[in-house]
Amino acid sequence: MERIGEFLYKYRYLCGLLIIVLAVVFDLNGSSIGMWNEAFSLPDNHVLAGTPRAIRTDEWRALTPMTISQNKAFSWFSDIIRGTRTDVFMIYPLPVLTPFILFRPFLAGYLVLGASRGLAFFWAARLVFLWLSSVELFYMLSKQKGLSALGATLIAFSPLIQWWFAVNSLVEMIIAGNYAVVAFDKYLSDQDTKKRAGYAFAIAWCAGVFGLSLYPAWMVPLAYVYLALAIWILVSRFGQIGMKRTDILITILAGVILLASVGIIVYISRDTIATVAGTAYPGARFETGGGMWKENFYYVFNAFYPTVGYFGSSNACETSAFMSFFPMGIVLGGMDVIARARKKSKQDLPVILMLALSVFFLIYCGVGFPGFLAEITLLSQSPAYRCIAIIGFIQILLMVRTLSRVERCENPGEKERTQTALAAETIVTALTAVILSAVAVYGGILCTEGYLGKKRALIMGLILTVIFFGMMNYQRFRVITNVLMVGLVFYAGATVNPVQKGLSTIYESELAGMIADVVAEDPGALWIVDDMNNEMTNYPIMMGAATVNSTNTYPALERWSAIDCDGANSDIYNRYAHIAVSIVSAGEGTGFELLAADNFKVNMTPGDLKTLQVDYILTDRELEKFSDSQVTFTLVGVDESDRRADNPDVRYRIYKVEGSKR
């Protein structure tokens, strides 16, 4: 086994490349687009393993459809999403044919491989490089191959990563941050000018990838983590930097190219940035933290999510976490500090920095900061319910670092320990493990609104007790501890997303063909999806239909103000939003209703349709009754084959809106 492990570690990048190639060749992805077949009550023969996750609507109902809508043009501005000119590079990034796609490398596959295999590349490459980059980071921390692989596995297959895998760019942030820190270490330690130049450009590129992730809720706390690691590297390498003039000039050049690239991107998307900055959501965000402490124990019940659906006021995504084994990172770090203090040894700087960050974030998440402090630390952009996940990330860093520093009988006194002393140590650590496990399970119970019942609580309590005990006695119980940790994270994370073959699922319904036929005949037409909440609003865009109430990644203020003349409802529609439209009679009148921070409903009259110049409506209702002297609803077609899962008697219909033409 050891020789196999050495071989896999040595050729890890070749193995990773092979996984990516196989995924692309066999057209495999982890998307939950199989949910579309459930929406149409069709059998799905393309899910090879696992279960499509209905809760992952941000992926299968939003991101993936929007990505597919780009399949032909790949332009920076799309006329399909929102049914008007929409920036698809800066906000909710999609594949765009531009040199700056280098900062969105995992979207590049769509440009050369097409939608289906591009999706396969997107899923496979991100997982592979998340694991590989984490191996590099943890090897830098531990200098042990086994521990680096363990740490990488705990990151890549954590429930948080897997439930949020496709959206919000957390994967890209971690990949870029990991490689940037490792490149910085090599940049300072390697004095070869050519290599140093390569590292400088690698750092600049990673900074661009990280910065353009554009999700501050995780970017800000993660930036603190990588900054702390960079400080440790700078201090430890300070005496051997030896910068030459050429090195400085090349580094400046890399920085200038990065700034110029970002400057051009910002200039092209300047109107988009201004619009988003002025939105009610998320642009007006100002957080001060507080109220989140027991949520550090989310990981305790995450293991059951893939097999036992979460119930409660929240959902599996919002309550997912890194498999951090909190508070063991802090406990092990504290033990390391105390042991070094007793021996009067030099403290381990990365442990000190990670402990300090843990306390910093715990205070912010648990107690909160005054407004001025939240603002100057930039944590005002990171809600406590997002920031708390990064505490889990830090715990894994602490665990790997401290476990790698476990004494290996280097102290003569250790060799002479009596059996009595060893037994006493075992008893103390066993009791400590039981107490910490009980605390973790109790914290999990407080979070779960009854989800973590007695049986599941007992199972997790036993597993965590053994793992915690093993960590505190890592020399003796290394193998069983590692096996349990890896087994738990695989069960909790690797089983979240399905193995899906291709995109055929999307195009198998009769409705898809009907929409595609209309688009082929009338490609410039404007569509609306009526009275189906948010279930189908992004379906037409996959067939190229420009849809008003597809996910509005930023508000179309001019459009909505046209039917909200006095602007009384601007706070409702001035936001990132999923939009439900319901056609109503002229007598009922136009109305806006905020359903959630990212969701609003519009009651739209026939006159509104004329004002907005809507051409077609996808609906599950009969709309002829809404025809009036100005607007007539003419039935184009009825989908007789597909059935709504929640109401098999309902038929999907397409209407042409006569009288609203430009």
Side-chain angles (χ1 to χ4, degrees), residues 429-464:
T429 54
L431 289 173
T432 303
V434 170
I435 293 170
L436 291 175
S437 175
V439 169
V441 171
Y442 180 67
I445 290 172
L446 292 178
C447 294
T448 59
E449 303 172 280
Y451 176 82
L452 194 66
K454 292 181 179 179
K455 184 177 179 180
R456 288 193 281 272
L458 180 60
I459 291 171
M460 284 306 299
L462 292 173
I463 292 173
L464 292 178

Side-chain angles (χ1 to χ4, degrees), residues 42-71:
L42 295 172
D44 195 335
N45 301 316
H46 307 289
V47 176
L48 306 183
T51 305
R53 302 293 176 180
I55 191 62
R56 292 305 307 119
T57 52
D58 280 353
E59 183 270 313
W60 67 269
R61 202 192 286 175
L63 176 64
T64 300
M66 287 194 289
T67 302
I68 293 170
S69 76
Q70 280 284 96
N71 194 38

